Amino acid sequence: GNSVTQMEGPVTLSEEAFLTINCTYTATGYPSLFWYVQYPGEGLQLLLKATKADDKGSNKGFEATYRKETTSFHLEKGSVQVSDSAVYFCALMEERGSYIPTFGRGTSLIVHP
Amino acid sequence: DAGVIQSPRHEVTEMGQEVTLRCKPISGHNSLFWYRQTMMRGLELLIYFNNNVPIDDSGMPEDRFSAKMPNASFSTLKIQPSEPRDSAVYFCASSVLGESYEQYFGPGTRLTVT
């Protein structure tokens, strides 16, 4: 079956630090990959996505590149802000079969001023 | 567009009572998902509808849980009888099957069973 593994948190950084949150996946087919973000008290919302190998998704200064050879989709940001404090979820969706997404456990990010 | 709407936002009830959570998906979306989120278990998929038909309910914890989607604009998740271990945040999400597969989540219902 499909699975998504994320680094455990919390990740604690100072403002303007570089962020990496690791995500690796296992899939039977050729999935689309997603990063969702959940701010306190809210539902998840899509941050970025990539649909094929070597695609780079980007949004709000965050980036992730679909690496088929390493089955990875690591999230990066060059300079984090306090407002980036949230929980980040890596997810995959195979465009066939049951169309049920697979989510990682989530990684909490705390950014201090 | 209003986004996915869930009600109530907070629910506190006593063990043994019936609880009904409600969801209105985004207009035009044909897939609807119910999730449960806890610290211990993370985000769990409970049930998934496609074109108002339940496709996969293997995540429903037990017979106390039931879900319906009588039409394209409304779904309910019912717990009867409720137990303290049902305390969690319940999310509804909708998407368009066959397009980007992005899921649009509602704000969630925080359920506390005492």
Side-chain angles (χ1 to χ4, degrees), chain A residues 32 34 36 38 41-46 49 51 87 89 93-96 98-101 103-105, chain B residues 9 33 35 37-43 45 48 55-56 91 97 100-108:
Chain A
S32 293
F34 305 84
Y36 285 82
Q38 183 180 29
E42 298 183 11
L44 282 70
Q45 56 186 274
L46 182 68
K49 67 180 181 184
T51 58
V87 180
F89 292 85
M93 171 79 87
E94 287 203 77
E95 298 180 12
R96 59 188 176 95
S98 63
Y99 301 101
I100 295 175
F103 284 89
R105 287 297 305 267
Chain B
R9 293 294 311 275
F33 302 77
Y35 292 91
Q37 186 178 41
T38 61
M39 289 294 292
M40 290 295 294
R41 301 172 71 91
L43 191 67
L45 177 66
Y48 155 52
I55 302 299
D56 188 335
F91 289 103
L97 184 66
S100 67
Y101 305 107
E102 173 184 352
Q103 296 215 320
Y104 294 79
F105 282 74

Side-chain angles (χ1 to χ4, degrees), chain A residues 78-95:
Chain A
S79 175
V80 294
Q81 305 299 312
V82 172
S83 58
D84 293 327
S85 298
V87 180
Y88 293 81
F89 292 85
C90 186
L92 68 82
M93 171 79 87
E94 287 203 77
E95 298 180 12

